[in-house]
Each structure stands twice: as C-alpha cells, then as structure tokens.
Amino acid sequence: KAGVTQTPRYLIKTRGQQVTLSCSPISGHRSVSWYQQTPGQGLQFLFEYFSETQRNKGNFPGRFSGRQFSNSRSEMNVSTLELGDSALYLCASSIQQGRGTEAFFGQGTRLTVV
Amino acid sequence: QQQVKQSPQSLIVQKGGISIINCAYENTAFDYFPWYQQFPGKGPALLIAIRPDVSEKKEGRFTISFNKSAKQFSLHIMDSQPGDSATYFCAASSKANTGNQFYFGTGTSLTVIP
C-alpha cells in the first residue's frame, strides 16, 4: 500500500512569490492535515481537510491556504512568501475524521525562501 | 503556549541501555497520545500510541507509560540500538476537536552509541 506522497520534495522560491504544495494521501484516507516543521517552533498545525471541507485551522496568517479535491488529494498554497516561511511542510493522512485517529506523514516538502 | 512539553531535548544512551523520554500536558481534554520517530530527511513515522484508559502499552522494545493523574506520559526504549538514533516526538489530540489536530512536543534527539 502506497504511503503519503508529497510533491515536490524540494523548492526554492524568492520572497514575494507564491507556492503550491501537493499531497496525495494513503488510498482510502479522507482526512488530510498539514503541518509546518521548523527547528525553532517544531511541528505546528496548519489546517485539516476532510471530504473537501476545512475542519480545523491553526494559528497561521491568511497567506496560508489549502484545499482538498474529491479524490482526497490536497494542496497547500502560500502567497507572498516571507523568509520565515522556510520550513519542512508535512502532510498527514488519516482514514477518518475524529479523535484518536492514527495519522501517517509523508516525507515532506522542504521549502526554502531566499 | 506549548501544549505538550517534552524532555530532554537530547539524549545519549549506550547500546543496550534504556532510553526514556518524558512528556507532560495540561489539557485534560487530550485523549490520544502518539509517539513519532523521525529520521533526517524523512517525515515522522508513527511508533506507538496510547489512550488514557490504560497505564501502559508495549510494542516490542517500545513502551508507553501513562500517568493520567500527573498528566504525564513517557516513552521507554529497551535495549536501545544505534538504529534507534533519531528524533522522537510526543503528541496529543483532544476529544474536543472535530478533526485530527495534533499538538506536538518539541522533540528529543536520541543518539545511541555502539
């Protein structure tokens, strides 16, 4: 069974640009969450989608947005990139929504903003 | 504020020894506590998880001990091996959430010396 696939693995962008990251969850998983991982802040929750609806949102500015498609694939978009957005962006998929559901992470997209 | 506090930040253990990582939380609504293992360049991998209705869960060399009254839980790695060298994250999720938002500890970098 294929795991969570994130593309691209690496990205280098310039300040002010925008970027779109993609996540394909495990087959049959309908919940997709996004996290930002940095050395200083650790893993921070961005948002979660379930059946194309955003269910939870973390404490990030509106420049961070996402969406989920009918096949459960999800995209995350960051507009007007700042240097501080440089991070590893992780996607996690779960088979269902709800408390205590196992979450499986992809390998992440390493975004570098210069 | 950090909802899940993890210690130590780094840990060095001899091969064959016991590695112990501790986490503490304040939110009594948390009801699912997973541990993740992350190798450099990889996404976090689910290692083991526990719910507050049990005080201990063991899977192979990995054991979670849970103290509900103290709001603490810990990961014990028995017979630690060099291949266990990685960063370990504890996490928690709340039954109050409608989705799968996890709050992560800041991570423990484990080095097992041969």
Side-chain angles (χ1 to χ4, degrees):
Chain A
K1 198 173 189 181
V4 179
T5 303
Q6 292 189 244
T7 56
R9 289 292 311 280
Y10 303 93
L11 267 178
I12 300 175
K13 290 287 188 178
T14 304
R15 270 183 305 174
Q17 287 187 315
Q18 74 162 14
V19 66
T20 298
L21 313 181
S22 179
C23 172
S24 292
I26 294 170
S27 177
H29 286 198
R30 296 169 64 191
S31 169
V32 175
S33 302
W34 289 89
Y35 289 81
Q36 181 194 65
Q37 185 176 26
T38 58
Q41 298 296 319
L43 283 139
Q44 302 286 317
F45 174 77
L46 281 155
F47 31 66
E48 185 215 2
Y49 287 86
F50 181 83
S51 293
E52 302 178 65
T53 301
Q54 186 181 89
R55 289 295 188 180
N56 276 336
K57 191 177 191 305
N59 189 26
F60 278 83
R63 300 185 297 106
F64 292 81
S65 63
R67 59 178 176 169
Q68 187 180 34
F69 302 95
S70 58
N71 62 358
S72 294
R73 190 177 71 85
S74 178
E75 287 183 347
M76 190 191 100
N77 184 275
V78 188
S79 62
T80 320
L81 283 166
E82 301 177 358
L83 294 179
D85 296 333
S86 294
L88 180 66
Y89 289 89
L90 292 160
C91 164
S93 82
S94 300
I95 196 165
Q96 64 183 22
Q97 181 191 39
R99 65 182 182 91
T101 305
E102 293 178 329
F104 299 91
F105 284 86
Q107 295 201 74
T109 294
R110 172 73 63 186
L111 172 64
T112 302
V113 182
V114 298
Chain B
Q1 74 280 18
Q2 194 71 31
Q3 297 238 16
V4 179
K5 296 182 179 178
Q6 183 172 348
S7 63
Q9 186 175 354
S10 63
L11 182 61
I12 300 174
V13 173
Q14 293 277 356
K15 178 183 175 181
I18 302 173
S19 302
I20 302 174
I21 304 170
N22 301 299
C23 284
Y25 64 97
E26 286 298 325
N27 188 346
T28 54
F30 286 152
D31 66 342
Y32 177 67
F33 303 89
W35 284 89
Y36 284 85
Q37 178 190 57
Q38 186 176 28
F39 292 104
K42 303 289 188 182
L46 179 62
L47 199 57
I48 186 172
I50 197 168
R51 299 183 191 278
D53 52 344
V54 296
S55 60
E56 186 176 281
K57 183 174 181 180
K58 184 176 181 179
E59 289 185 3
R61 296 184 295 109
F62 301 92
T63 300
I64 300 179
S65 296
F66 187 84
N67 186 329
K68 188 174 181 179
S69 60
K71 290 183 285 186
Q72 295 175 347
F73 59 110
S74 60
L75 176 69
H76 292 62
I77 305 174
M78 312 299 289
D79 187 27
S80 298
Q81 299 296 313
D84 296 331
S85 297
T87 300
Y88 292 81
F89 294 93
C90 60
S93 66
S94 167
K95 60 190 173 189
N97 285 342
T98 55
N100 291 328
Q101 179 176 353
F102 287 94
Y103 298 88
F104 284 87
T106 50
T108 295
S109 176
L110 171 66
T111 302
V112 181
I113 300 171

